[in-house]
Amino acid sequence: MKMLEHMREKVALLNSRWFIGIFAILIVPFFPPEIINHVGTSLFIDAYAWGGVISAVACALLYVLLARKDVFSLLSVILPAIVLLSTLSYGGAINLWFSKWLPCFAIVMLVAAFGRSMKRELLWGLFVVTFTLSVLNLASALLFPEGVYATNGTAQSGNFFYGNKDSAYRILFPALCSSFVLDACCGRWLSVRSLFVLAVSILTVYLATSSATLLALTFLVVLVLCARWEALRRYLNGLTVTIMGVAGFLAIVVFRLQHLFDFIIVDALGKSLTFTGRTFIWDKVFELQGIRCFFIGRGVSGYRELWVNDRQYYHAHDGFLDIWLNSGMLGVLVLCTMLGLVAFVLYRFRTRQEAAVYAAVLGAYYLNGITEPVFSVSFIAVLALAYYSFAGDGHCVPFDGIKIEKGEGNGWPGLRS
């Protein structure tokens, strides 16, 4: 009997590893290293692009066949559709939509299909992809401290394997998140694996000298450490970090109250209160949108008019403004609804350590999103995992209505299909 049980465990482990490999293969085209567009051949670039399309189609088919349909997955379809409509309306580049927004749609479809039954395999698949890319990116920074390639006639400084120094968070944060959540699921505080990922992250940020990512990474680590104690998890949860994220956007980007934080921005980080000129980019976005593009945005090619001081910028240098530029207020409302769904789910399960880890990582994205366009496949992947990780407890909002039942913690109501 013991031998038979041992054989069953081996078979289950083998099946689990197969699924991890399949998930990693499906996910890897969604995180294309920027270096392939500068030193790669056109054949390799095209192969990577078509690999992303094929992977997205596979994820969509898996969703149709296996997933229980709910409001979150529906919203994840609506948001890219709005961006596509805006892109077509303003004659934008469709290939840019495929490269930027199709992965966001596909990663949610994949997580929705398997998040209920195979969340650990999904976490491992995401970890394998993003951590491998993080190690390669760190290696490029160590070997070529001045940068690997130049862009648009500028110096190559800060451009490494994955991309610009300020984009490293897109692979570091998912790697940290998946590792920390895997630890929490196993009842561990911090594994050797997580310590190694953290060391890679710190060294990458140190070499890349990205102040925004450094501040967000510090915030992430502090919140993960706080997640060790259940009493703190009741206050540092998905709802509170989301409220703080929105409040930070309003305070810094809209009302420009950054002088209240000059002891951090100027004294600690050595930056100006314009965030190295980012406030001028924000002003340009507000000027561009006006009434005409207020509701539907300018699509993925909206940056074509984003010129500040005779220099073109390719995004709004803020998460919410970038979504507004791409999809207008309609897209912002859809995204905020998705954020709200995740926030309340994480609040309901706030006593669980893995929920606190997701809240910490999302908080880091929100903080980094004040100066960077964080709403990408990296963020959407973590957002979907945070939502569907608790789907087995029946919290998802279905298409055909909502049933209310008593949730976990202080009698808060939970959503159940």
Side-chain angles (χ1 to χ4, degrees):
M1 286 293 294
K2 288 185 177 180
M3 182 178 295
L4 182 60
E5 190 66 28
H6 181 68
M7 290 178 63
R8 287 176 179 172
E9 290 178 0
K10 287 290 186 181
V11 171
L13 180 61
L14 181 62
N15 290 337
S16 178
R17 287 174 177 173
W18 272 106
F19 275 104
I20 291 170
I22 292 170
F23 292 151
I25 291 171
L26 289 173
I27 291 171
V28 71
F30 303 152
F31 290 85
E34 183 65 24
I35 194 173
I36 66 175
N37 295 320
H38 300 277
V39 300
T41 64
S42 59
L43 179 62
F44 186 73
I45 295 172
D46 292 341
Y48 212 106
W50 278 108
V53 173
I54 294 171
S55 183
V57 171
C59 292
L61 288 174
L62 290 169
Y63 172 78
V64 171
L65 294 173
L66 303 175
R68 186 190 307 167
K69 314 309 182 287
D70 55 56
V71 173
F72 187 87
S73 60
L74 175 64
L75 293 172
S76 72
V77 176
I78 293 175
L79 181 57
I82 294 173
V83 180
L84 179 60
L85 176 63
S86 179
T87 300
L88 292 172
S89 299
Y90 288 90
I94 301 301
N95 62 312
L96 289 180
W97 180 87
F98 272 95
S99 63
K100 181 177 180 180
W101 282 100
L102 193 62
C104 295
F105 152 79
I107 198 74
V108 176
M109 298 300 101
L110 181 63
V111 178
F114 295 97
R116 293 174 174 84
S117 57
M118 295 185 140
K119 70 176 181 179
R120 293 195 183 191
E121 286 81 0
L122 280 170
L123 286 166
W124 270 110
L126 181 65
F127 174 79
V128 169
V129 172
T130 54
F131 182 62
T132 300
L133 291 172
S134 298
V135 171
L136 292 173
N137 193 58
L138 175 59
S140 69
L142 290 170
L143 294 173
F144 305 97
E146 296 301 319
V148 181
Y149 56 87
T151 56
N152 302 320
T154 61
Q156 64 186 34
S157 177
N159 296 314
F160 302 112
F161 173 82
Y162 188 72
N164 182 268
K165 63 180 182 178
D166 291 322
S167 64
Y169 70 88
R170 295 183 181 178
I171 48 178
L172 296 176
F173 287 1
L176 286 166
C177 177
S178 52
S179 187
F180 287 153
V181 172
L182 285 167
D183 290 344
C185 291
C186 296
R188 300 174 183 169
W189 185 34
L190 211 60
S191 64
V192 174
R193 177 194 63 247
S194 294
L195 289 173
F196 191 61
V197 181
L198 186 57
V200 169
S201 302
I202 293 172
L203 188 55
T204 299
V205 175
Y206 172 76
L207 293 173
T209 61
S210 174
S211 300
T213 306
L214 174 62
L215 188 61
L217 180 61
T218 303
F219 181 81
L220 190 160
V221 173
V222 170
L223 258 64
V224 168
L225 291 175
C226 290
R228 173 69 174 171
W229 293 275
E230 184 176 334
L232 292 177
R233 293 202 292 267
R234 294 182 178 275
Y235 302 99
L236 299 174
N237 54 67
L239 186 59
T240 56
V241 298
T242 300
I243 291 173
M244 287 190 292
V246 174
F249 165 75
L250 294 174
I252 301 297
V253 180
V254 178
F255 298 111
R256 306 294 168 86
L257 302 179
Q258 48 263 51
H259 63 276
L260 299 176
F261 308 97
D262 59 355
F263 64 96
I264 297 176
I265 301 168
V266 179
D267 299 335
L269 299 178
K271 299 293 182 179
S272 68
L273 292 180
T274 65
F275 298 97
T276 320
R278 283 171 170 79
T279 54
F280 304 123
I281 304 172
W282 302 340
D283 291 336
K284 185 65 177 180
V285 173
F286 284 115
E287 176 189 330
L288 284 174
Q289 290 299 83
I291 298 176
R292 182 185 177 189
C293 302
F294 182 86
F295 289 103
I296 197 171
R298 294 173 174 269
V300 293
S301 299
Y303 67 84
R304 289 183 299 196
E305 299 178 58
L306 198 56
W307 287 82
V308 178
N309 296 327
D310 296 324
R311 179 181 175 184
Q312 187 178 26
Y313 293 88
Y314 294 90
H315 51 75
H317 272 289
D318 174 80
F320 286 106
L321 283 188
D322 203 58
I323 293 295
W324 188 38
L325 183 66
N326 279 256
S327 60
M329 191 53 62
L330 286 176
V332 172
L333 290 175
V334 171
L335 177 66
C336 287
T337 304
M338 295 173 68
L339 299 182
L341 286 171
V342 174
F344 280 105
V345 165
L346 293 180
Y347 179 80
R348 179 189 172 191
F349 294 95
R350 62 194 179 278
T351 57
R352 296 191 186 181
Q353 190 172 343
E354 58 265 38
V357 171
Y358 279 122
V361 178
L362 292 177
Y365 275 108
Y366 293 139
L367 183 57
N368 209 32
I370 292 176
T371 57
E372 296 300 328
V374 295
F375 297 125
S376 60
V377 65
S378 170
F379 175 81
I380 298 298
V382 173
L383 198 69
L385 283 165
Y387 186 75
Y388 288 107
S389 284
F390 304 98
D393 298 291
H395 74 274
C396 292
V397 185
F399 287 149
D400 57 352
I402 301 174
K403 296 179 183 179
I404 303 296
E405 71 171 19
K406 187 174 179 181
E408 181 180 308
N410 294 341
W412 239 82
L415 298 173
R416 185 177 177 88
S417 57

